[in-house]
mmCIF file of all heavy atoms in Angstrom:
data_model
loop_
_atom_site.group_PDB
_atom_site.id
_atom_site.type_symbol
_atom_site.label_atom_id
_atom_site.label_comp_id
_atom_site.label_asym_id
_atom_site.label_seq_id
_atom_site.Cartn_x
_atom_site.Cartn_y
_atom_site.Cartn_z
ATOM 1 N N LEU X 55 -141.105 16.508 67.477
ATOM 2 C CA LEU X 55 -140.841 16.128 66.083
ATOM 3 C C LEU X 55 -140.962 17.403 65.259
ATOM 4 O O LEU X 55 -142.015 18.050 65.270
ATOM 5 C CB LEU X 55 -141.859 15.080 65.614
ATOM 6 C CG LEU X 55 -141.644 14.520 64.198
ATOM 7 C CD1 LEU X 55 -142.157 13.080 64.113
ATOM 8 C CD2 LEU X 55 -142.300 15.357 63.120
ATOM 9 N N ASP X 56 -139.877 17.789 64.600
ATOM 10 C CA ASP X 56 -139.886 19.047 63.856
ATOM 11 C C ASP X 56 -138.950 18.917 62.652
ATOM 12 O O ASP X 56 -137.937 18.214 62.719
ATOM 13 C CB ASP X 56 -139.428 20.207 64.763
ATOM 14 C CG ASP X 56 -139.895 21.562 64.262
ATOM 15 O OD1 ASP X 56 -139.453 21.979 63.165
ATOM 16 O OD2 ASP X 56 -140.691 22.216 64.955
ATOM 17 N N SER X 57 -139.292 19.591 61.580
ATOM 18 C CA SER X 57 -138.431 19.587 60.384
ATOM 19 C C SER X 57 -137.307 20.611 60.519
ATOM 20 O O SER X 57 -136.399 20.630 59.705
ATOM 21 C CB SER X 57 -139.273 19.915 59.151
ATOM 22 O OG SER X 57 -139.845 21.199 59.298
ATOM 23 N N PHE X 58 -137.377 21.477 61.515
ATOM 24 C CA PHE X 58 -136.401 22.563 61.726
ATOM 25 C C PHE X 58 -136.217 23.380 60.452
ATOM 26 O O PHE X 58 -135.104 23.711 60.067
ATOM 27 C CB PHE X 58 -135.069 21.992 62.247
ATOM 28 C CG PHE X 58 -135.210 21.338 63.603
ATOM 29 C CD1 PHE X 58 -135.461 19.975 63.717
ATOM 30 C CD2 PHE X 58 -135.126 22.093 64.761
ATOM 31 C CE1 PHE X 58 -135.622 19.376 64.969
ATOM 32 C CE2 PHE X 58 -135.287 21.506 66.017
ATOM 33 C CZ PHE X 58 -135.535 20.137 66.118
ATOM 34 N N MET X 59 -137.345 23.668 59.786
ATOM 35 C CA MET X 59 -137.283 24.306 58.466
ATOM 36 C C MET X 59 -136.743 25.740 58.513
ATOM 37 O O MET X 59 -136.353 26.280 57.487
ATOM 38 C CB MET X 59 -138.663 24.277 57.790
ATOM 39 C CG MET X 59 -139.737 25.050 58.509
ATOM 40 S SD MET X 59 -141.360 24.896 57.709
ATOM 41 C CE MET X 59 -141.193 26.037 56.337
ATOM 42 N N TYR X 60 -136.711 26.358 59.704
ATOM 43 C CA TYR X 60 -136.168 27.720 59.807
ATOM 44 C C TYR X 60 -134.752 27.722 60.393
ATOM 45 O O TYR X 60 -134.239 28.767 60.773
ATOM 46 C CB TYR X 60 -137.103 28.595 60.657
ATOM 47 C CG TYR X 60 -138.512 28.635 60.106
ATOM 48 C CD1 TYR X 60 -139.560 27.990 60.751
ATOM 49 C CD2 TYR X 60 -138.782 29.295 58.895
ATOM 50 C CE1 TYR X 60 -140.840 28.001 60.229
ATOM 51 C CE2 TYR X 60 -140.060 29.304 58.375
ATOM 52 C CZ TYR X 60 -141.082 28.657 59.042
ATOM 53 O OH TYR X 60 -142.342 28.665 58.505
ATOM 54 N N GLY X 61 -134.146 26.524 60.485
ATOM 55 C CA GLY X 61 -132.803 26.436 61.061
ATOM 56 C C GLY X 61 -132.784 26.803 62.542
ATOM 57 O O GLY X 61 -131.766 27.272 63.059
ATOM 58 N N GLN X 62 -133.912 26.565 63.230
ATOM 59 C CA GLN X 62 -134.023 26.981 64.638
ATOM 60 C C GLN X 62 -133.016 26.262 65.533
ATOM 61 O O GLN X 62 -132.778 25.074 65.375
ATOM 62 C CB GLN X 62 -135.408 26.641 65.204
ATOM 63 C CG GLN X 62 -136.588 27.155 64.473
ATOM 64 C CD GLN X 62 -137.167 26.114 63.538
ATOM 65 O OE1 GLN X 62 -136.500 25.659 62.624
ATOM 66 N NE2 GLN X 62 -138.412 25.752 63.744
ATOM 67 N N SER X 63 -132.501 27.019 66.532
ATOM 68 C CA SER X 63 -131.685 26.402 67.583
ATOM 69 C C SER X 63 -132.353 26.634 68.935
ATOM 70 O O SER X 63 -131.713 26.622 69.979
ATOM 71 C CB SER X 63 -130.273 26.997 67.573
ATOM 72 O OG SER X 63 -130.357 28.402 67.686
ATOM 73 N N SER X 64 -133.660 26.841 68.897
ATOM 74 C CA SER X 64 -134.398 27.305 70.071
ATOM 75 C C SER X 64 -134.554 26.260 71.170
ATOM 76 O O SER X 64 -134.906 26.606 72.290
ATOM 77 C CB SER X 64 -135.785 27.776 69.623
ATOM 78 O OG SER X 64 -136.386 26.792 68.795
ATOM 79 N N LEU X 65 -134.292 24.987 70.882
ATOM 80 C CA LEU X 65 -134.496 23.950 71.904
ATOM 81 C C LEU X 65 -133.179 23.445 72.497
ATOM 82 O O LEU X 65 -133.180 22.440 73.217
ATOM 83 C CB LEU X 65 -135.285 22.774 71.320
ATOM 84 C CG LEU X 65 -136.713 23.088 70.855
ATOM 85 C CD1 LEU X 65 -137.376 21.828 70.280
ATOM 86 C CD2 LEU X 65 -137.571 23.651 71.987
ATOM 87 N N LEU X 66 -132.065 24.132 72.188
ATOM 88 C CA LEU X 66 -130.769 23.620 72.657
ATOM 89 C C LEU X 66 -130.732 23.475 74.184
ATOM 90 O O LEU X 66 -130.161 22.517 74.706
ATOM 91 C CB LEU X 66 -129.631 24.540 72.184
ATOM 92 C CG LEU X 66 -129.377 24.527 70.666
ATOM 93 C CD1 LEU X 66 -128.225 25.449 70.313
ATOM 94 C CD2 LEU X 66 -129.089 23.113 70.163
ATOM 95 N N GLU X 67 -131.356 24.426 74.881
ATOM 96 C CA GLU X 67 -131.412 24.372 76.357
ATOM 97 C C GLU X 67 -132.066 23.090 76.860
ATOM 98 O O GLU X 67 -131.760 22.618 77.943
ATOM 99 C CB GLU X 67 -132.239 25.550 76.886
ATOM 100 C CG GLU X 67 -131.507 26.855 77.021
ATOM 101 C CD GLU X 67 -130.751 26.936 78.350
ATOM 102 O OE1 GLU X 67 -131.318 26.632 79.410
ATOM 103 O OE2 GLU X 67 -129.572 27.299 78.269
ATOM 104 N N CYS X 68 -133.007 22.552 76.061
ATOM 105 C CA CYS X 68 -133.778 21.373 76.511
ATOM 106 C C CYS X 68 -132.947 20.092 76.474
ATOM 107 O O CYS X 68 -133.307 19.099 77.121
ATOM 108 C CB CYS X 68 -135.021 21.181 75.632
ATOM 109 S SG CYS X 68 -136.156 22.570 75.705
ATOM 110 N N CYS X 69 -131.869 20.104 75.678
ATOM 111 C CA CYS X 69 -131.148 18.844 75.434
ATOM 112 C C CYS X 69 -130.560 18.247 76.715
ATOM 113 O O CYS X 69 -130.355 17.038 76.796
ATOM 114 C CB CYS X 69 -130.048 19.060 74.398
ATOM 115 S SG CYS X 69 -130.725 19.542 72.798
ATOM 116 N N ALA X 70 -130.263 19.083 77.690
ATOM 117 C CA ALA X 70 -129.700 18.572 78.946
ATOM 118 C C ALA X 70 -130.745 17.854 79.795
ATOM 119 O O ALA X 70 -130.399 17.135 80.731
ATOM 120 C CB ALA X 70 -129.096 19.730 79.744
ATOM 121 N N SER X 71 -132.023 18.038 79.437
ATOM 122 C CA SER X 71 -133.074 17.442 80.256
ATOM 123 C C SER X 71 -133.264 15.971 79.866
ATOM 124 O O SER X 71 -133.516 15.663 78.704
ATOM 125 C CB SER X 71 -134.370 18.223 80.028
ATOM 126 O OG SER X 71 -135.426 17.547 80.629
#
Side-chain angles (χ1 to χ4, degrees):
L55 184 150
D56 202 295
S57 61
F58 296 93
M59 63 183 282
Y60 303 109
Q62 305 97 299
S63 55
S64 49
L65 297 179
L66 291 181
E67 277 276 312
C68 298
C69 297
S71 171

